[in-house]
Structures are given as structure tokens and as C-alpha cells.
Amino acid sequence: MKIEFAPLSVPLQRRLQTASVVQWVFSFLGLAQCCIAVFIGLLFTRFWLVSALYAVWWFIDREAPSRGGRRIHVLRNSVVWRYMRDYFPITLVKTAELDPRQNYLMGFHPHGVLAVGAFLNFCTEASGFSTIFPGITPHLMMLSLWFRVPFFRDYLMSGGLVSSNKESASHVLQRPEGGNLLAIIVGGAQEALDARPGSCTLLLKNRKGFVRVAIKHGTPLVPAFSFGENELFDQVSNPKGSWLRWLQHRLQQIMGISLPLFHARGIFQYSFGLVPYRRPICTVVGKPIPVQRKHSPSEEDVDRLHQKYLEELCKLFEEHKAKYNVPEDSHLEFI
């Protein structure tokens, strides 16, 4: 006998969607600190052996974030991520096929405040990445700093996050069997300081390291633009030259992470809080740009491919912006 469950009511679905987003936002804002506190706190209890054994494992496993990570498919397929997807909602759009016999390097734009689209599309199966791109395994780069946090590092790797360094990139892109996609949020933490509704500014004009890596490995470049990524949060005004922007820039240089002063709605009210607005995100993946492999590319080689990448990214944006309510007079600005 087949047992059928009644569908959840709309109010309950919305509560679950909000709860899933709240847990994700606060996991990144506070989970790392909690993991550090637990690791240290256990050392002063009768459970000190847990932290001691983990420290040994941590040392043995220290290279894992630079060796492709350690994804856990059960966590990537968790129902929590599907509720989170439906909260906004978030969709992933393919404009060209990706050959599973090749590896790819994807540039993801824009960073947004918390890179929600990048996380949900490439670190979970909520948007159906494996179905849309069969045979392709996604990896998303994240600041190496976060992989130094006990317990938290394992949570990050379970979704397919890897360390943002050259060794990590080479490990993924050199795999001879192909079928790997390395996603890099090119604008990085600094771009988050310009993430606000209506912004089309990308920190990309002088970001050429990812292009050089692609040439060295002969890896096709894939541009991706996430429409709606900047619409999720408002941010305190921090124009260049202001004391707040100067302070944020200094902290970013010291800590490696930016600290945008963002706000949106609350959990039980819509006036103020840290919960993102319910606004749709659509991540559009462009067609691959062929790259000729050169072990020691010249500056001219890098500049030429970088310019080609900018042109393809602009083309992708212009072709799709009307579908996602972007004003006709809005164009990408590279700084």
C-alpha cells in the first residue's frame, strides 16, 4: 500500500523557507566562532579527548581543502537547501552544454553580500546542478582562512568548497578524467562592499589571475552572472573616500575578509534585520570560451583573453537582463 502525505500548507512552507535561510545566514555569521569556542571549551572538560583527537585528525587532513575537499552527498541533497531555494527563489540557467570530458574554470559575478547564489547553485543540489550539467562536478573556491577553523572546515568541504589558492586550483583543473568545474567569485570580498540593489559594478578590470590559471592549464573559461544577487540586502552608504570605506578596506587588508554593514528584513517583521529579502536570483551560465594552453603565458596573452572574457560577460548580461527586470539603460561597469 502506497502512503501519500498531504502537502504542507503555504504558511508552513513559508516558515520553513524562512527558517532555512536564517540558519544559513547565521551559520556563516556565527558558526565559525561557535566551532572555535567548542573546540577550546572541550579541552577544559572531561571530553578533552574529543578536541585532542580532532587536532590530530586536523593535522593529518590539513591538505584536504587544497586537494578537492571532501563532499558529502547526503548533506548536499538536504531538504533544507530546497526550502532555502524556494525562499527567494533561486534558479540555475544553462545557455550551453559543458563537455564532461573537459575541466572548466567559471567566473561567478557578482559577489553580493553573502554569495547566496554561488553557494546554493554549486554547493548544494537544490537547483539541480547535476541534472542540468550531467557529468560535471562543481567546486567553489572560498578564502583559505575559513578552513583553519576546527569542525567548520569539514562543514564547508561537505558541500564542495575548496581553498582559494593556486595549489587548489591546479589540483581540480589538472584531473585527467575531466568533468570538473572550478567556480571562482572573481570580485572576492572587496566587491561585497559595493553590493547593493541596482548595482552593476564588478571588481574585474584588473583581476587577471584566474585568466592566467586558465591559460596555464588550457582550461575553457565560463562566465556566469547571477541576476538578483545584489538585491538581497541594503548596505550602509560607504562611497569611496569616506571614513567607513577606508576602515572597511583596512580591515579587509588585515583580516582578508570584508565587513559590509548590511541589513534587510527581520524574522518576524519586515522593517529591519539580517534576513535577506525575498527576491528572485537567477544564475545564468554562459558558453565556454576556448583557451589555448601555454605554460608561461605572456602579459599580452593574458590581456587578450581577459578582454575576451569581459566581452562575453557583457554579452551574457545584455542578452538576459530584460528577462530579470534589469533596466534597459543598466550596463556592467568594471573597476
Side-chain angles (χ1 to χ4, degrees), residues 32-258:
Q33 293 87 337
C34 290
C35 288
I36 294 173
V38 169
F39 179 78
I40 297 175
L42 287 175
L43 292 173
F44 298 94
T45 69
R46 59 179 178 174
F47 301 106
W48 62 270
L49 190 59
V50 174
S51 289
L53 291 175
Y54 183 85
V56 174
W57 162 249
W58 188 4
F59 178 78
I60 296 173
D61 194 53
R62 64 189 183 279
E63 299 297 332
S66 297
R67 299 292 181 185
R70 185 173 50 253
R71 66 187 59 229
I72 300 176
H73 293 287
V74 172
L75 295 181
R76 282 179 57 89
N77 286 280
S78 172
V79 67
V80 172
W81 308 130
R82 294 197 290 275
Y83 281 123
M84 181 176 170
R85 172 201 64 196
D86 294 337
Y87 172 89
F88 297 98
I90 295 178
T91 54
L92 180 65
V93 175
K94 174 177 68 175
T95 62
E97 296 292 339
L98 298 185
D99 187 349
R101 294 170 297 181
Q102 280 193 308
N103 296 318
Y104 298 91
L105 196 159
M106 173 187 287
F108 181 92
H109 315 273
H111 183 286
V113 172
L114 295 179
V116 178
F119 175 82
L120 204 76
N121 285 313
F122 306 125
C123 297
T124 79
E125 285 297 327
S127 57
F129 183 93
S130 295
T131 302
I132 297 172
F133 296 103
I136 303 294
T137 301
H139 305 266
L140 178 64
M141 278 193 155
M142 190 175 188
L143 284 174
S144 302
L145 169 70
W146 297 112
F147 294 97
R148 300 171 188 169
V149 180
F151 305 122
F152 189 60
R153 67 189 292 274
D154 300 283
Y155 167 69
L156 297 177
M157 287 192 291
S158 70
L161 285 156
V162 295
S163 184
S164 58
N165 54 53
K166 292 181 180 180
E167 180 185 5
S168 180
S170 295
H171 182 83
V172 173
L173 299 179
Q174 284 180 344
R175 290 179 174 176
E177 70 277 10
N180 293 282
L181 181 144
L182 180 65
I184 301 177
I185 306 177
V186 183
Q190 190 175 342
E191 190 176 80
L193 299 177
D194 289 310
R196 49 178 46 85
S199 174
C200 294
T201 302
L202 300 180
L203 186 61
L204 186 57
K205 189 175 183 179
N206 296 312
R207 295 282 174 109
K208 302 178 182 180
F210 73 105
V211 174
R212 189 178 297 277
V213 169
I215 296 176
K216 285 185 176 180
H217 296 283
T219 306
L221 280 171
V222 181
F225 193 88
S226 196
F227 292 91
E229 194 75 43
N230 283 337
E231 311 301 315
L232 306 184
F233 296 95
D234 293 313
Q235 190 171 164
V236 174
S237 180
N238 59 343
K240 292 184 178 180
S242 65
W243 68 269
L244 177 57
R245 188 59 169 256
W246 177 86
L247 179 61
Q248 289 173 323
H249 182 63
R250 289 293 297 165
L251 290 174
Q252 194 254 329
Q253 288 181 320
I254 296 171
M255 303 168 59
I257 57 175
S258 64

